[in-house]
Amino acid sequence: MIKQKYKGIFYIILSAFSFAFMFAFVRMAGDLPTMQKTFFRNFVALFFAIGILKKDHIKFKVEGKKNNAVLFVRAFAGSIGMIFNFYAIDHMVLSDASMLNKMSPFFVIVFSFIFLKEKLTAFQVLTVVGAFVGSMFIMKPSFSNVDFIPALLGFLGGMGAGLAYTCVRYLGQHGVKGPIIVAYFSAFSCLVTLPFMAFDYHHMSLAQTLCLLGAGAAAAGGQFSITAAYTYAPAREISVYDYSQIIFTTILGFLFFGDIPDGWSFLGYVIIVTMAVLVFLYNNFWHMQEDTAEKAKQ
């Protein structure tokens, strides 16, 4: 059991490493429209997803009107979240954009309460509020702050990802297989961004093409790794290790782009990661002790 957990930790850190490189490749692609970058990232992922569907002989079919509706919301929210996130990557310090995207687990808590009717404890409310405060230190809302709009879009991108992951949670609970969800999302994102790219296509050099292909490959690697991670260990035991991505993006941002987050951003990082660690401790220790005590009373 312990070995399984260690495998889960390894794969989730590998996922964080892969997604950090996806961020870096997107930025390295240079001055290309956000929609064009999003299209190529998802076009590569679509091929990976179709390959898995064929390999595992999975039919691209979803039963039930509600499942289809939730699948659409997942694809729509995920696409909007990715577009906003990619815009933030191009206009912010890389690690700032990455950390705002990591607000998604806290939005999952909120959206799971609203849409899935999952119980929301006072402790969870406090961690969500704490994470929001941390995000404000990164965003630094001010009309004089030229990075505020990209930061706001990065924040909204994390919100979109949170809604998308909530939908994935619902779909997984109702028998929709992962490769179908990924293929649907990738195809939907390609269709949404294709018209924008057709009207505002920028010629790409070989280096830019390779960067976008690299972004797609890194994203696929991250997706497969995180899927493997959660097959070896439950999310509550390993999800906190996903925040290692901030270490990787900070290093890559400095090495490739000379990005150095300011003091306020670092404070925001500390607050958000602290909230994530508290959620981890609550899910694995404190909450379990409360349940044990409650059962003992009964």
Side-chain angles (χ1 to χ4, degrees):
M1 196 70 178
I2 294 177
K3 286 184 178 180
Q4 293 288 88
K5 182 178 178 179
Y6 286 152
K7 285 182 180 178
I9 292 171
F10 168 78
Y11 277 112
I12 202 165
I13 292 176
L14 180 61
S15 169
F17 184 73
S18 298
F19 282 125
F21 265 98
M22 182 200 77
F23 276 53
F25 277 130
V26 168
R27 171 80 76 82
M28 281 192 278
D31 189 21
L32 294 173
T34 300
M35 294 296 191
Q36 190 167 331
K37 291 183 176 183
T38 306
F39 174 85
F40 278 97
R41 178 261 186 249
N42 286 296
F43 190 66
V44 175
L46 179 59
F47 271 92
F48 277 101
I50 291 174
I52 292 175
L53 289 174
K54 287 189 174 182
K55 174 179 171 289
D56 295 341
H57 305 289
I58 300 172
K59 290 184 178 180
F60 190 81
K61 186 178 180 181
V62 178
E63 301 288 346
K65 288 184 178 179
K66 190 167 185 179
N67 279 352
N68 277 283
V70 174
L71 191 59
F72 174 81
V73 174
R74 183 270 178 267
F76 181 81
S79 297
I80 295 298
M82 183 176 295
I83 291 166
F84 286 175
N85 183 228
F86 277 20
Y87 183 87
I89 290 171
D90 280 337
H91 295 84
M92 295 181 68
V93 171
L94 197 65
S95 53
D96 282 4
S98 174
M99 184 52 83
L100 289 173
N101 187 248
K102 286 301 174 190
M103 286 293 293
S104 58
F106 297 99
F107 283 118
V108 169
I109 293 173
V110 175
F111 289 129
S112 294
F113 169 73
I114 296 172
F115 298 114
L116 304 184
K117 308 303 179 185
E118 293 184 358
K119 185 179 177 183
L120 184 63
T121 66
F123 179 84
Q124 289 174 316
V125 172
L126 288 174
T127 58
V128 169
V129 172
F132 178 79
V133 171
S135 73
M136 290 299 103
F137 284 107
I138 298 172
M139 293 168 66
K140 296 176 276 291
S142 166
F143 290 111
S144 61
N145 180 11
V146 295
D147 290 333
F148 177 59
I149 296 301
L152 177 61
L153 292 179
F155 179 82
L156 294 175
M159 183 185 293
L163 178 56
Y165 294 150
T166 305
C167 292
V168 169
R169 191 168 181 165
Y170 174 89
L171 292 167
Q173 291 171 348
H174 289 78
V176 181
K177 295 185 181 297
I180 293 176
I181 300 172
V182 174
Y184 186 101
F185 162 63
S186 300
F188 181 90
S189 295
C190 287
L191 289 174
V192 167
T193 54
L194 184 59
F196 292 93
M197 192 180 74
F199 284 105
D200 189 28
Y201 179 79
H202 287 210
H203 175 73
M204 297 189 297
S205 66
L206 177 60
Q208 288 176 313
T209 303
L210 291 175
C211 281
L212 291 185
L213 291 176
Q223 203 70 53
F224 289 131
S225 296
I226 203 165
T227 301
Y230 290 132
T231 61
Y232 285 115
R236 65 182 177 83
E237 292 185 6
I238 62 174
S239 58
V240 71
Y241 295 98
D242 193 29
Y243 283 83
S244 60
Q245 183 178 322
I246 192 61
I247 299 172
F248 300 133
T249 50
T250 301
I251 293 171
L252 292 175
F254 176 73
L255 290 177
F256 293 122
F257 313 110
D259 287 348
I260 302 177
D262 62 23
W264 291 115
S265 289
F266 270 119
L267 178 59
Y269 299 171
V270 170
I271 293 173
I272 293 173
V273 172
T274 299
M275 295 303 106
V277 171
L278 289 175
V279 170
F280 171 79
L281 292 173
Y282 178 77
N283 288 338
N284 287 280
F285 301 104
W286 303 334
H287 186 55
M288 292 173 68
Q289 289 173 358
E290 289 174 7
D291 288 346
T292 303
E294 191 65 32
K295 287 178 182 177
K297 290 178 182 178
Q298 295 173 355

